[in-house]
Amino acid sequence: MSEAGAGTGARSARPTSRDVAQAAGVSQSTVSLVLGGKWTGRVSPATARAVEETAERLGYRPNAAARNLRLGTTRTVLLVIPTITSPFFGPVYIGAARVAARHGFGVVVYPPDDARPATPGASPFAVPREAIDGIMASSMTLDALRGFGRAPVVMLDSGPAAAGTAPTVDFAVEDGMRAVVAHLAGLGHRRFGHLAAAVDEWTFRARGGAVARAVHDVPGGTLTRAAGAIDVRSAKEAAERLLGLPDRPTALVCDDDLMAAGVYKAARARGLEIPGDLSVTGFDDVEIARALEPELTTVRLPAQELGEQGMLALLELLGGGRPEPRALPVELVVRASTAPPPA
Amino acid sequence: MSEAGAGTGARSARPTSRDVAQAAGVSQSTVSLVLGGKWTGRVSPATARAVEETAERLGYRPNAAARNLRLGTTRTVLLVIPTITSPFFGPVYIGAARVAARHGFGVVVYPPDDARPATPGASPFAVPREAIDGIMASSMTLDALRGFGRAPVVMLDSGPAAAGTAPTVDFAVEDGMRAVVAHLAGLGHRRFGHLAAAVDEWTFRARGGAVARAVHDVPGGTLTRAAGAIDVRSAKEAAERLLGLPDRPTALVCDDDLMAAGVYKAARARGLEIPGDLSVTGFDDVEIARALEPELTTVRLPAQELGEQGMLALLELLGGGRPEPRALPVELVVRASTAPPPA
DNA sequence: CTGTTAGCGCGTTCAG
DNA sequence: CTGAACGCGCTAACAG
């Protein structure tokens, strides 16, 4: 009867803290104290060590549900994104989940479903992950977060506008677009076209504004613009409108790499060589940029770092801090789709 | 004092089931029964209705942690994938999460991090989402799941081999490859090249085997093969080896759309026109297939349905059932990268 | 048909 | 310095 912990091999369920306590010959609270890391000055070092070893030996892991219930915290954060089917958000998730894991947090993604982006469940049990410690929202406005309760929020890639309300982490997209235009202008281009993404998000408004300002600063620079959805077909159509102009641009600046793929198609259809007859640039530097032929000059966005910094900011916020707004530097990646304009 | 629920506006915390019970003038267990949906014959319809209305009015949502603790279940499943940075797995997640949500389950993805695919946390608190009801593992072997405990498992896209051990959901990749070869053979091709993905997964072994068998069945058909990693550069190099052959293939069958992009580059470098001089096919039908020029003939894999069916199978398994192995039909998508061989 | 009670596993008092 | 006792919110036995 007193041989606690030994000989009870039949029960292979996960050990509880009480099992650890019994096996180590101490009480449950001692186990809790030791494993919680706040035992110094309250438990003798020898006991602490013994407890740690027993826990290790038994393969003890605290029961998350009990922990959450007691602490009123879930150690789970929600990553809200506009669409899960974009190559951009994978790295964001990776970055967030990586630093989250380092702090004992899990990350769950919302929405699970592109089709109906904001449908709260009908039954009260339909959205099990309602219990959440905080929210990271990427590429959207604060308004879009109605229905998520009053959890602490960090806004990612949503512009500094929300900075008063919530901590923000953004890319320095203006710098990126300025670098693109400077690169092109340095090559000798003067007639610019901008293929704008017809998407109402801060980042695209910022890209458009930056292009306009940058071209304005190029002596003799002119800018024409066409907008389209972020898919190959729409981008191709928009590009055709630009390329059909009497004084057609010699360089097309795209809001997105995928749109650049559409430009390639439009150019080929007109018999225009890239980059000989037409220079093209993208934005984001997703996989497709290197799959295109010629490879695409574009702007690399540190998407993973966005997730990391966002999670760090959220952690700071949860800890009672007031994280500063941050803007992540971007990088112009010059490949083979840009060259001096035709003579 | 008896005005329970009213006038206590100061407390804006989430209402508990006890709050609902008080406000409705019934006991906690009645609330539990009614909201749990199993009250018929045990609670009067009138009371049930009253409870539902009060719950609604108070905006009551059950506390997940308490529920989980009591039930010993988490209503969370783990989706284990080889790499999160592949456009293939987004739709799988969507499918899984969609049907999961319909059943009150959440889906969390593992690993959060491509870099170290199987690192269990160092501290006992590092992997908070260890508490899981079941696992869906995609594109891997059962062996790779060591360290995830003994949760019920469904294997996705991992071949019927594991079928004895765990329920499986697969694509009919053999059908897909046979359709590709038949399409090409119908166009008149006889010299085939296979650009194999050098990845040790069932799906790629199946693709390779299917190509070999299908070409074998083409009268006069010959097959050469080169392997490479699934990225543009490796695929390009592998394609160059095939295209440098004295009797070079007139059709290149690729294991993956991204590899086809590498073939495009190799072909252009040699001055070969696609599809005039060389037909190319992909596999998966990810976004890049339509971004390439000419657009890629490929095989569409119903990735989202894989997730849906996988989750359905897991649900059935959790409910004590024995789901049948299933193979999802695939579809040949003929675009512009295939044509009759040069004369 | 409804209310009372016990306990899931944990972290945190409060006695000893 | 350690152990016993309590309660987080919920569900499932058991009483009434």
Side-chain angles (χ1 to χ4, degrees):
Chain A
M1 215 189 219
S2 58
E3 278 281 333
T8 58
R11 180 182 41 63
S12 72
R14 275 175 57 181
T16 73
S17 73
R18 182 159 56 224
D19 296 333
V20 176
Q22 285 190 356
V26 300
S27 85
Q28 211 185 128
S29 60
T30 308
V31 173
S32 185
L33 249 24
V34 171
L35 265 30
K38 29 194 160 184
W39 55 273
T40 33
R42 295 199 264 179
V43 176
S44 78
T47 328
R49 187 170 208 104
V51 169
E52 277 167 354
E53 275 170 8
T54 336
E56 176 87 11
R57 184 167 53 79
L58 262 39
Y60 168 74
R61 327 233 95 188
N63 178 311
R67 215 180 141 73
N68 296 346
L69 179 56
R70 187 64 179 87
L71 267 4
T73 194
T74 59
R75 298 190 91 73
T76 297
V77 306
L78 196 67
L79 176 61
V80 184
I81 58 185
T83 158
I84 197 169
T85 46
S86 159
F88 174 73
F89 295 108
V92 176
Y93 173 81
I94 292 181
R98 174 179 295 185
V99 349
R102 212 150 42 213
H103 292 81
F105 277 71
V107 176
V108 346
V109 180
Y110 191 91
D113 192 331
D114 267 13
R116 3 160 218 178
T119 308
S123 128
F125 299 97
V127 183
R129 307 257 109 261
E130 175 143 4
I132 247 130
D133 286 350
I135 295 176
M136 301 171 53
S138 183
S139 315
M140 58 186 57
T141 64
L142 216 38
D143 286 359
L145 294 179
R146 302 182 183 295
F148 283 100
R150 302 187 56 71
V153 172
V154 171
M155 300 302 294
L156 268 36
D157 184 37
S158 305
T165 329
T168 59
V169 185
D170 293 309
F171 296 121
V173 291
E174 296 86 349
D175 292 353
M177 271 305 187
R178 263 200 299 274
V180 165
V181 173
H183 164 67
L184 257 10
L187 253 17
H189 292 273
R190 290 301 175 265
R191 292 201 307 278
F192 296 86
H194 177 213
L195 215 63
V199 174
D200 186 24
E201 287 175 12
W202 166 79
T203 191
F204 296 113
R205 289 192 297 272
R207 291 173 198 193
V211 172
R213 281 187 296 275
V215 170
H216 181 81
D217 291 348
V218 175
T222 63
L223 177 67
T224 51
R225 173 171 300 187
I230 303 184
D231 64 63
V232 177
R233 184 170 325 226
S234 304
K236 184 184 178 202
E237 290 170 6
E240 275 163 353
R241 295 201 294 277
L242 251 27
L243 295 179
L245 258 28
D247 247 18
R248 71 153 187 268
T250 61
L252 244 40
V253 175
C254 300
D255 267 357
D256 186 281
D257 289 347
L258 193 58
M259 300 186 80
V263 173
Y264 276 46
K265 284 184 189 296
R268 291 238 166 78
R270 286 189 100 81
L272 259 29
E273 280 293 321
I274 298 174
D277 300 319
L278 180 72
S279 286
V280 180
T281 65
F283 215 94
D284 285 7
D285 194 26
V286 294
E287 189 171 63
I288 219 171
R290 284 180 312 276
L292 289 174
E293 178 74 16
E295 299 195 352
L296 186 66
T297 293
T298 186
V299 174
R300 174 173 303 153
L301 265 27
Q304 186 167 319
E305 202 181 338
L306 184 76
E308 291 171 358
Q309 293 294 326
M311 190 65 210
L312 251 18
L314 185 51
L315 254 12
E316 193 180 338
L317 187 64
L318 291 176
R322 301 288 305 161
E324 290 293 308
R326 2 196 152 173
L328 271 21
V330 303
E331 180 194 2
L332 176 68
V333 181
V334 176
R335 297 207 179 92
S337 67
T338 47
Chain B
M1 212 191 222
S2 55
E3 278 282 332
T8 57
R11 178 181 42 61
S12 73
R14 273 175 56 179
T16 74
S17 71
R18 184 157 57 223
D19 295 333
V20 176
Q22 287 191 352
V26 299
S27 86
Q28 219 182 125
S29 59
T30 308
V31 173
S32 184
L33 281 179
V34 171
L35 265 30
K38 30 194 162 184
W39 56 275
T40 33
R42 295 198 266 179
V43 175
S44 80
T47 328
R49 187 171 209 103
V51 168
E52 278 168 352
E53 274 171 9
T54 334
E56 175 87 8
R57 185 167 53 80
L58 262 38
Y60 167 75
R61 325 234 96 188
N63 178 313
R67 215 180 139 74
N68 297 345
L69 178 56
R70 188 59 178 89
L71 265 4
T73 192
T74 59
R75 297 191 90 74
T76 297
V77 306
L78 196 67
L79 175 62
V80 185
I81 58 184
T83 156
I84 195 170
T85 46
S86 159
F88 174 72
F89 295 108
V92 177
Y93 172 80
I94 292 181
R98 174 179 295 186
V99 350
R102 212 150 41 211
H103 292 82
F105 277 70
V107 177
V108 346
V109 180
Y110 191 92
D113 194 332
D114 268 11
R116 0 157 221 182
T119 309
S123 128
F125 300 95
V127 184
R129 307 251 112 266
E130 174 140 3
I132 243 125
D133 287 348
I135 295 176
M136 301 170 52
S138 182
S139 315
M140 58 186 56
T141 64
L142 217 36
D143 286 359
L145 292 180
R146 300 182 185 296
F148 282 100
R150 302 187 56 70
V153 172
V154 171
M155 300 299 295
L156 268 35
D157 184 36
S158 305
T165 329
T168 59
V169 185
D170 294 311
F171 296 122
V173 293
E174 296 85 349
D175 291 353
M177 271 306 188
R178 263 201 299 274
V180 166
V181 173
H183 165 66
L184 257 10
L187 253 17
H189 291 273
R190 289 301 175 266
R191 294 200 304 279
F192 296 86
H194 176 213
L195 215 65
V199 174
D200 186 27
E201 286 175 15
W202 166 79
T203 191
F204 296 114
R205 289 191 299 273
R207 293 173 196 192
V211 172
R213 280 187 297 275
V215 170
H216 181 80
D217 290 347
V218 175
T222 65
L223 178 66
T224 50
R225 175 172 299 188
I230 303 184
D231 63 63
V232 176
R233 185 169 327 226
S234 304
K236 183 186 179 199
E237 290 169 8
E240 275 163 353
R241 294 202 294 278
L242 251 28
L243 296 179
L245 257 29
D247 246 18
R248 72 153 185 267
T250 60
L252 244 41
V253 175
C254 300
D255 266 358
D256 186 279
D257 290 347
L258 193 58
M259 301 184 79
V263 174
Y264 275 45
K265 283 184 190 298
R268 291 239 166 76
R270 285 189 101 81
L272 259 28
E273 281 293 321
I274 297 173
D277 300 319
L278 180 72
S279 286
V280 180
T281 65
F283 214 95
D284 283 8
D285 194 26
V286 295
E287 188 170 62
I288 218 170
R290 282 181 312 277
L292 290 174
E293 180 72 15
E295 300 194 353
L296 187 66
T297 293
T298 186
V299 174
R300 175 173 303 154
L301 264 29
Q304 187 168 316
E305 202 182 337
L306 184 77
E308 291 171 357
Q309 293 294 326
M311 190 64 211
L312 252 17
L314 185 51
L315 254 12
E316 193 181 337
L317 186 64
L318 292 177
R322 304 286 307 159
E324 291 293 308
R326 4 195 152 173
L328 271 20
V330 303
E331 180 194 2
L332 175 68
V333 181
V334 177
R335 296 205 180 92
S337 66
T338 47

